Amino acid sequence: MSIETNSYQENLKELRTNLGTMLPKDALRVFDNDAENLQANHNSILKLQVGDKAPDFALSNATGKIIQLSKLLKKKKIVLTFYRGSWCPYCNLQLAHYQKSLTKIHNFGAELVAISPQTPDESLNVKEKNELNFKVLSDNGNIVARKYTTVFKNADAPVNTMTELGFDFDAHYSDDSRELPMPAVFVIEKDTTISFAKSIGGDYRNRVEVSEIINALKK
């Protein structure tokens, strides 16, 4: 699969085909219904818009080192993406997609930072699995995510279906709230001003294309 030359949507088609062969039809239907329900029930996702100042934060990376936004901004602009977790195939596809365009992102004076509510151990797993060359930070309890995007409680149906398939959803997190961030992407200028803010909506199968991020960085 050539993630570099294809758009996220093109790679999504291939992922959907693969999931169709890997998962029982009933299970895939549960996950798809969940995504469609979230899309229907969440219209206004973003908590911050273009022109707003990005709240500072300090979070642990995969090895337990504290990374602070304000310190990163002294050197480069930041592309900030919130994702659900390493168990989510759409998140993995998105992160792999962005990884392929890291050189372009760096060439426009920016650094990529990905945040999820997973424990640092799980963040390290996702970094190792995908061989990511950007910062993956752990936002326990979605403290930072709440300031940027909508946080919701994962429904029982998808969690129960994951359990039936042998995946322990709760093992990825330090609490039992089952809360997840809605995927969203922000470009933060060095003066902390947000110059790009986008979420595709509650349907987590759809993600912001890397081409949109590159276009935002060009301006």
Side-chain angles (χ1 to χ4, degrees):
M1 179 162 63
S2 180
I3 291 171
E4 189 163 17
T5 55
N6 291 345
S7 68
Y8 173 85
Q9 281 295 325
E10 287 169 328
N11 288 304
L12 179 60
K13 291 174 186 173
E14 187 174 341
L15 173 60
R16 293 288 302 174
T17 300
N18 292 341
L19 290 174
T21 59
M22 288 163 49
L23 297 176
K25 284 183 180 177
D26 289 348
L28 190 56
R29 194 174 298 117
V30 168
F31 297 136
D32 286 347
N33 287 343
D34 178 52
E36 287 157 16
N37 288 337
L38 287 168
Q39 181 70 18
N41 292 318
H42 294 276
N43 298 317
S44 181
I45 306 293
L46 301 177
K47 301 298 183 187
L48 296 168
Q49 306 294 338
V50 170
D52 288 342
K53 294 292 186 179
D56 197 14
F57 59 78
L59 296 173
S60 294
N61 69 4
T63 58
K65 182 183 177 184
I66 300 297
I67 305 296
Q68 189 163 2
L69 175 64
S70 54
K71 289 184 179 178
L72 295 177
L73 287 172
K74 287 178 180 176
K75 297 177 182 177
K76 291 184 174 182
K77 298 187 245 188
I78 296 299
V79 176
L80 189 65
T81 182
F82 290 90
Y83 71 103
R84 292 147 53 87
S86 60
W87 50 268
C88 172
Y90 307 101
C91 294
N92 290 332
L93 180 63
Q94 177 194 22
L95 294 182
H97 189 56
Y98 291 4
Q99 162 81 19
K100 290 287 184 180
S101 294
L102 263 189
T103 301
K104 285 182 183 176
I105 290 171
H106 292 162
N107 287 345
F108 284 107
E111 183 173 357
L112 180 62
V113 176
I115 295 179
S116 88
Q118 290 189 136
T119 61
D121 285 350
E122 289 298 328
S123 295
L124 185 62
N125 287 347
V126 70
K127 194 168 176 121
E128 286 174 339
K129 275 189 287 196
N130 296 328
E131 297 180 328
L132 304 179
N133 296 317
F134 51 84
K135 288 179 173 59
V136 179
L137 305 184
S138 182
D139 181 22
N140 291 334
N142 291 290
I143 306 297
V144 174
R146 282 176 219 282
K147 297 176 182 178
Y148 285 82
T149 185
T150 296
V151 173
F152 70 99
K153 184 175 181 180
N154 202 7
D156 289 341
V159 173
N160 293 342
T161 302
M162 285 177 71
T163 302
E164 290 166 11
L165 292 170
F167 294 101
D168 186 352
F169 174 83
D170 294 319
H172 291 80
Y173 304 96
S174 63
D175 61 25
D176 58 2
S177 69
R178 292 187 172 174
E179 289 183 331
L180 296 172
M182 294 273 184
V185 177
F186 301 85
V187 173
I188 306 171
E189 300 295 321
K190 291 173 77 175
D191 69 354
T192 77
T193 303
I194 294 172
S195 58
F196 175 86
K198 185 164 185 178
S199 170
I200 306 297
D203 186 343
Y204 50 77
R205 297 170 298 186
N206 299 316
R207 301 297 169 101
V208 175
E209 292 284 359
V210 76
S211 59
E212 294 184 78
I213 297 169
I214 299 299
N215 286 338
L217 291 172
K218 283 178 182 176
K219 291 177 182 175

